[in-house]
C-alpha cells in the first residue's frame, strides 16, 4: 500500500482538469457567433426562448450524507481484532453533512434540452459507529473518527426542461466522477494507521428542480440531486497493524444535495 497518500497540489490539479473538461463539453456544442451576426442579430427579450442560451447559477447546497460500509476488513488478516477471515464486526459509519457553495453552467440545445456542468468541493469526516466503532475505540483508545477527506464530485447532467411561462421545472441525470484529495487518518486510527487513501470513483446523479423568472434575465432556482457514490477506502497500517492494511469496501456517501440559488441567462 505504498504511495497511498496524495498531495494537496495534485488534488487541486485534478479539480481544475475535471471542472474544465466538464465545462468544455458544453462550450464545444454551441456555435460561436460571427462578427456579422453580432451586428445584425437583435437580443432576445428576457425569458423568450432558451435555445442557444447559457444559464449560470450560484447555489447554496446542503449535503445530507448516507454513510455505511459494505465490509471492513484487514488484509492480510491479523490476530489483534475479533476477526473472521480478517473481517471486522459491524459495518456502520457516519459521514458528516455539509453546507457548501455550488456553481453550475447550463447550455440549452433547444427550449427543452440542456446540458449542465456542476463542480463543487466539500470536506467530510468519517466516523465508525456501532460495533465497528466500539471495536476500533477499544483497540486504539482514541475515538471512532477514521478519516477526513475533501470530495470533488464533477458532474455533467442531461436535462429535460418544461417551460410554463415564468415557471420552468426540469429533471436530469448523468455521470459523476468523484475525486478525493487531502485525505487524513482520523484520530481513532492514528495509533494503528500511517496514511489513508480514498479511491476516486464513478457514480450516477439524478436531479429535479425548477427555475422561476424573477425579472429581466434573473432566475430563482430550487434544486435537489441524489448521487450514488461508494468509494473504497484503504488505511496503511503501523504499530500492531504494521505490514497490513485496513480496508472499507464501498463507503456509501450517496448524498442528497438540496439547493437554492440565483441564475442569470445569457
Amino acid at each position: 500500500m505504498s504511495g497511498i497518500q496524495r498531495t494537496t497540489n495534485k488534488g487541486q490539479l485534478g479539480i481544475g482538469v475535471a471542472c474544465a473538461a466538464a465545462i468544455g463539453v458544453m462550450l464545444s456544442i454551441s456555435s460561436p457567433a460571427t462578427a456579422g451576426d453580432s451586428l445584425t442579430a437583435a437580443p432576445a427579450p428576457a425569458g423568450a426562448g432558451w435555445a442557444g442560451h447559457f444559464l449560470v447559477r450560484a447555489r447554496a447546497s446542503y449535503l445530507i450524507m448516507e454513510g455505511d460500509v459494505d465490509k471492513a476488513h484487514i488484509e492480510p488478516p491479523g490476530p489483534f481484532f475479533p476477526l473472521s477471515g480478517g473481517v471486522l464486526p459491524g459495518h456502520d459509519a457516519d459521514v458528516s453533512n455539509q453546507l457548501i457553495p455550488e456553481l453550475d453552467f447550463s447550455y440549452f440545445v433547444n427550449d427543452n434540452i440542456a446540458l449542465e456542468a456542476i463542480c463543487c468541493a466539500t470536506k467530510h469526516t468519517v466516523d465508525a459507529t456501532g460495533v465497528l466503532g466500539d471495536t476500533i475505540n477499544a483497540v486504539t483508545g482514541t475515538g471512532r473518527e477514521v478519516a477526513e477527506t475533501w470530495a470533488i464530485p464533477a458532474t455533467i447532467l442531461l436535462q429535460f426542461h418544461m417551460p410554463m411561462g415564468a415557471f420552468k421545472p426540469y429533471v436530469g441525470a448523468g455521470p459523476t466522477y468523484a475525486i478525493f484529495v487531502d485525505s487524513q487518518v482520523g484520530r481513532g486510527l492514528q495509533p494503528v494507521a500511517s496514511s489513508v487513501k480514498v479511491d476516486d470513483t464513478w457514480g450516477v446523479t439524478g436531479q429535479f428542480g425548477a427555475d422561476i423568472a424573477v425579472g429581466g434575465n434573473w432566475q430563482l432556482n430550487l434544486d435537489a440531486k441524489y448521487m450514488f457514490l461508494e468509494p473504497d477506502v484503504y488505511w496503511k497500517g503501523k504499530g500492531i497493524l504494521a505490514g497490513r492494511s485496513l480496508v472499507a469496501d464501498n463507503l456509501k456517501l450517496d448524498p442528497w444535495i438540496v439547493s437554492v440559488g440565483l441564475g442569470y441567462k445569457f
Side-chain angles (χ1 to χ4, degrees), residues 69-74 83 86-91 132 246-249:
V69 177
D70 277 353
K71 182 174 71 172
H73 54 103
I74 291 175
L83 300 174
V87 178
L88 294 169
H91 302 147
L132 180 60
L246 175 61
V247 183
D249 294 332

Side-chain angles (χ1 to χ4, degrees), residues 179-262:
I179 302 167
F180 297 90
V181 299
D182 197 23
S183 300
Q184 305 292 330
V185 178
R187 293 187 302 273
L189 287 180
Q190 286 177 359
V192 296
S194 60
S195 58
V196 61
K197 175 187 176 182
V198 183
D199 272 355
D200 297 344
T201 187
W202 284 98
V204 176
T205 298
Q207 175 193 43
F208 62 91
D211 292 303
I212 305 167
V214 292
N217 286 340
W218 292 98
Q219 306 282 322
L220 174 66
N221 178 251
L222 305 174
D223 185 90
K225 292 180 286 290
Y226 187 79
M227 287 184 177
F228 294 91
L229 293 177
E230 300 183 1
D232 295 332
V233 188
Y234 302 86
W235 290 263
K236 182 179 180 181
K238 69 177 184 180
I240 63 173
L241 289 183
R244 297 182 172 87
S245 297
L246 175 61
V247 183
D249 294 332
N250 297 332
L251 174 62
K252 298 180 187 299
L253 303 179
D254 295 345
W256 273 102
I257 305 174
V258 182
S259 309
V260 60
L262 198 61

